[in-house]
Amino acid sequence: MNKSLNGKAFKFGDDVDTGQIIPGKYVVLTDPNELASHVFEDVAPEFKGKVEMGDIIIAGKNFGTGSSREHAPKAIKFSGISAVIAKSFARIFYRNAINIGLFAITLPQVDEIKENDQITINLNEGKVINHTQGKEYKFDLPHKVMLDIFAEGGIIPFTKKELNLK
Amino acid sequence: MGNNLIKKILAKKLGHEVKVGEIIYIEPDLVMTHDHQGPMTIREFENIGADSLWNPDKVILVMDHRTPSQTLVAVENHQKLRKFARKYGVTKFFDVGEGVCHDLVAEKALVRPEMVYIATDSHTVTEGALGLFATGVGSSEMASIFATGKVWLKIPETIKVTLKGTLQKGVYGKDIALRLLEIIKTGGADYKVLEFGGAGIASVSAASRMSLCNMCLEMGAKTAIFPVDKVTVEYYKEKGVEVQELYPDEDGEYISEIIVDLDQLEPLIAFPFSPDNVRSVSQIGDEVYALNQSVIGTCTGARYEDLKVAAEILKGKQVRPGTRMLIVPATKDLMLRCTQEGIIETFLKAGAMVNVPCCGPCGGYGMAVLAEDESSITTGSRNFVARMGAPGAHIYLSNAATAAASAIEGKLTDPRKYLSDS
Ligand code: SF4
């Protein structure tokens, strides 16, 4: 996969649950852009105004814990975020993120990254580059089954292709 | 090295042995979505463009989260799901008022030991209590399963949880879950399986096992599982279904073991804002944690044993003025049984409100919502920030006995003093 993701860092702490990402009351919605308009509404209302296309969320441990709502990674992706780098993820969030085409990787050194640092994720080489601090980190790519799904743009286009549907 | 329960179930289904870390593709025996993740699931299913479900008999739809018909958007979602069920021939359709999904699939004996059960809900792990592989996925992945009938899984590592001793008065599966959360912490069992065993499991009812397995999700577990022992066989027998006992191999493969002594276990409470912030009721001491509300409901504490003990505690007593109490039985059949046995009457006479079966108070879905400076005890599974309304509201998680006793006193209370010794 020849791809790199670029943007500025938005820092979040540990245990950011799906209810903080998208409050339960919006789970009745299915339109991803509508979901994005409520992203982090309760806990970081300023986020929406500051995020630009390609930006990257940097979080602590257990990101995306809580409900299985795919609304959470969708709200993040459609707000403009291209990837989440965290110390660890809740299992379903991680799976959902890749399945909807939001890149997600774990990196133990996330604490070194500061708010607004310019970050590049090089998917080809498995490298995170912090341009602001001049640092580079190696990361483990997601498993091949997930990379194949991500490369197609998510599990929906992947399944379409698998079933030969247009 | 022999098989733990999950490897055993998957190997049997696939017809060959499996290794930890291996990726497998498997056809689920049953799948489920509900009115929270269902609308997104059918939207994505339509995006795939498949003209039929891989097997409509294996699909379950449950209307439980936004019921009964709470808002215009909610009721329109219910309409969409009903239409979808008709169009694609889904007959296992549980409409508004039938009950909470994880309770229904067990109560109706849809889920059976040794099955692979996948649903669009994080707490799908609840069903592991009955000796099957049960785990959650998101809506798009379910849409893909709807179309293809297959899902990929990585064979997980397993932690053995050995229960010894016997559950004591006023102590339930919920308290085992909270003790484990205290030990393992949220996210501490990420991607792993918690497999229960040991002589102590004989004292843990199927209902308690379900609450316990449910909350293993809060530890990050991919799933949790009990062997199919006499308790499970008896559970199915009462439903007229015969199932075979199933245990792991003596030399099953585990990465670690945790031992919980049930003789020493007390009623526990998770304090705000994390299910792993646990204290025992007896440790609370003289500090007064006043409560605006007490809730008995959700899929982690509104089964028959929960409502029965709550009624025993509330019989002839009154909910303290200034504290509101809401009781939501997990299913309609259970509510009927409780009505026939006078349990509902006891609740109403004690001053509690009783609502029709639904998820409702679990996540502030149209009821039992809290204001900024309020606090509530609940038998629910989560006490995250804003889970039941305002971000500042405090949520305490407990078993049903503790929630009932606390409603009487209007503060966090040890339930054991309200329970007779018999
Ligand atoms: S009661 Fe709560 S935890 Fe259970 S299925 Fe409903 S929302 Fe989920």
Side-chain angles (χ1 to χ4, degrees):
Chain A
M1 196 177 348
N2 192 2
K3 210 168 178 187
S4 74
L5 308 167
N6 302 291
K8 64 178 183 297
F10 277 95
K11 294 270 290 186
F12 284 86
D14 291 339
D15 301 301
V16 174
D17 70 82
T18 52
Q20 292 177 44
I21 300 170
I22 182 84
K25 58 178 180 259
Y26 300 120
V27 177
V28 292
L29 306 173
T30 56
D31 180 71
N33 291 309
E34 241 180 294
L35 290 168
S37 73
H38 300 291
V39 71
F40 296 116
E41 194 168 276
D42 286 340
V43 291
E46 71 291 346
F47 174 86
K48 235 169 27 203
K50 289 202 261 174
V51 64
E52 291 169 300
M53 278 314 272
D55 284 350
I56 293 169
I57 286 179
I58 310 291
K61 73 165 179 74
N62 202 22
F63 189 82
T65 184
S67 98
S68 67
R69 65 186 71 150
E70 166 177 311
H71 308 61
K74 274 189 174 152
I76 289 176
K77 181 179 150 101
F78 283 80
S79 74
I81 292 288
S82 65
V84 182
I85 305 177
K87 254 186 220 162
S88 67
F89 290 93
R91 176 189 155 264
I92 303 179
F93 180 91
Y94 183 73
R95 207 165 159 126
N96 279 343
I98 300 292
N99 277 337
I100 63 121
L102 172 70
F103 201 63
I105 49 167
T106 55
L107 191 75
Q109 303 93 334
V110 286
D111 290 342
E112 295 177 13
I113 302 172
K114 301 244 158 14
E115 181 92 6
N116 288 321
D117 281 0
Q118 278 297 323
I119 305 292
T120 293
I121 302 174
N122 185 324
L123 276 67
N124 241 358
E125 295 170 39
K127 260 196 312 203
V128 172
I129 304 151
N130 186 333
H131 301 284
T132 311
Q133 299 188 23
K135 284 186 188 164
E136 275 189 19
Y137 310 93
K138 275 279 197 201
F139 69 85
D140 292 330
L141 282 168
H143 193 283
K144 186 174 178 304
V145 270
M146 302 194 99
L147 276 185
D148 289 348
I149 290 168
F150 183 75
E152 284 303 325
I155 197 164
I156 298 303
F158 181 87
T159 305
K160 253 176 130 85
K161 194 171 165 193
E162 199 185 356
L163 297 175
N164 279 319
L165 296 166
K166 286 266 149 42
Chain B
M1 201 172 280
N3 278 332
N4 55 43
L5 278 171
I6 292 297
K7 279 176 67 186
K8 203 166 203 171
I9 289 172
L10 295 174
K12 199 164 160 189
K13 206 168 142 54
L14 292 165
H16 59 79
E17 292 299 311
V18 293
K19 280 205 287 292
V20 168
E22 180 186 342
I23 300 280
I24 58 159
Y25 291 85
I26 204 159
E27 180 186 358
D29 296 292
L30 267 181
V31 300
M32 187 274 295
T33 188
H34 48 55
D35 62 333
H36 232 198
Q37 313 304 330
M40 185 76 95
T41 305
I42 65 177
R43 179 189 171 112
E44 295 299 354
F45 179 76
E46 276 154 13
N47 282 339
I48 292 172
D51 48 19
S52 61
L53 292 173
W54 110 92
N55 187 343
D57 293 337
K58 293 190 173 185
V59 177
I60 306 169
L61 295 177
V62 183
M63 310 300 102
D64 59 355
H65 277 63
R66 298 287 178 172
T67 60
S69 319
Q70 285 169 8
T71 61
L72 188 55
V73 187
V75 78
E76 284 166 357
N77 280 339
H78 296 150
Q79 272 186 318
K80 275 187 212 161
L81 291 166
R82 284 187 201 107
K83 232 171 100 188
F84 181 86
R86 273 199 304 274
K87 182 169 173 193
Y88 293 99
V90 177
T91 52
K92 294 184 177 73
F93 185 89
F94 296 94
D95 215 321
V96 167
E98 289 290 332
V100 177
C101 56
H102 305 306
D103 278 82
L104 279 173
V105 297
E107 183 187 275
K108 310 285 181 209
L110 294 174
V111 289
R112 306 269 172 100
E114 301 186 38
M115 275 186 167
V116 172
Y117 173 62
I118 311 283
T120 62
D121 194 279
S122 57
H123 291 113
T124 304
V125 296
T126 307
E127 262 46 74
L130 301 170
L132 53 135
F133 180 91
T135 196
V137 298
S139 298
S140 289
E141 187 147 21
M142 185 55 74
S144 168
I145 298 172
F146 274 10
T148 64
K150 68 170 204 244
V151 64
W152 69 266
L153 295 169
K154 190 166 162 186
I155 305 296
E157 296 176 319
T158 296
I159 300 170
K160 184 175 182 172
V161 183
T162 301
L163 305 181
K164 58 176 208 178
T166 308
L167 266 187
Q168 303 292 303
K169 185 181 73 172
V171 187
Y172 294 88
K174 182 62 151 287
D175 304 294
I176 307 173
L178 292 175
R179 167 65 80 230
L180 284 174
L181 271 155
E182 205 181 357
I183 298 168
I184 298 175
K185 298 287 174 197
T186 56
D190 270 350
Y191 304 105
K192 299 185 176 59
V193 175
L194 295 173
E195 182 187 300
F196 292 89
I201 64 168
S203 70
V204 186
S205 68
S208 262
R209 291 176 184 192
M210 289 176 73
S211 297
L212 167 54
C213 286
N214 176 303
M215 288 194 68
C216 290
L217 184 273
E218 309 308 327
M219 302 161 215
K222 179 167 192 157
T223 194
I225 190 163
F226 269 78
V228 185
D229 62 354
K230 299 211 163 41
V231 173
T232 321
V233 170
E234 196 49 42
Y235 176 85
Y236 278 99
K237 203 167 152 196
E238 280 172 19
K239 301 175 187 303
V241 175
E242 200 185 314
V243 300
Q244 302 300 318
E245 291 188 24
L246 178 79
Y247 298 92
D249 293 343
E250 293 260 334
D251 61 341
E253 183 180 356
Y254 304 98
I255 53 161
S256 58
E257 183 181 10
I258 295 169
I259 298 169
V260 178
D261 184 355
L262 302 181
D263 289 335
Q264 305 297 322
L265 193 64
E266 292 187 283
L268 302 175
I269 297 176
F271 276 54
F273 286 98
S274 177
D276 64 8
N277 186 14
V278 175
R279 290 198 223 170
S280 74
V281 275
S282 65
Q283 272 171 1
I284 292 168
D286 296 335
E287 254 180 283
V288 176
Y289 294 93
L291 297 168
N292 303 90
Q293 182 173 273
S294 169
V295 170
I296 296 178
T298 86
C299 58
T300 45
R303 300 194 178 88
Y304 181 69
E305 76 173 13
D306 305 309
L307 300 184
K308 192 163 182 299
V309 71
E312 187 187 332
I313 291 169
L314 287 163
K315 185 137 197 136
K317 307 270 189 332
Q318 284 297 307
V319 171
R320 194 182 166 88
T323 305
R324 3 183 236 278
M325 183 172 207
L326 178 67
I327 297 173
V328 187
T331 71
K332 188 165 85 180
D333 285 357
L334 169 65
M335 189 163 183
L336 180 60
R337 179 178 179 186
C338 291
T339 306
Q340 288 162 342
E341 293 182 11
I343 288 173
I344 301 293
E345 187 179 336
T346 300
F347 293 153
L348 293 173
K349 282 186 172 160
M353 298 173 272
V354 180
N355 214 324
V356 294
C358 63
C359 294
C362 188
Y365 307 141
M367 67 192 72
V369 173
L370 297 168
E372 185 63 24
D373 54 356
E374 288 196 313
S375 61
S376 179
I377 191 166
T378 173
T379 61
S381 56
R382 288 179 175 147
N383 58 352
F384 302 149
V385 173
R387 174 79 183 175
M388 290 174 71
H394 283 191
I395 304 168
Y396 300 90
L397 308 178
S398 76
N399 70 35
T402 309
S406 300
I408 295 170
E409 302 205 5
K411 62 183 171 67
L412 297 185
T413 300
D414 189 334
R416 290 171 294 185
K417 63 179 173 185
Y418 288 96
L419 292 168
S420 61
D421 281 321
S422 60

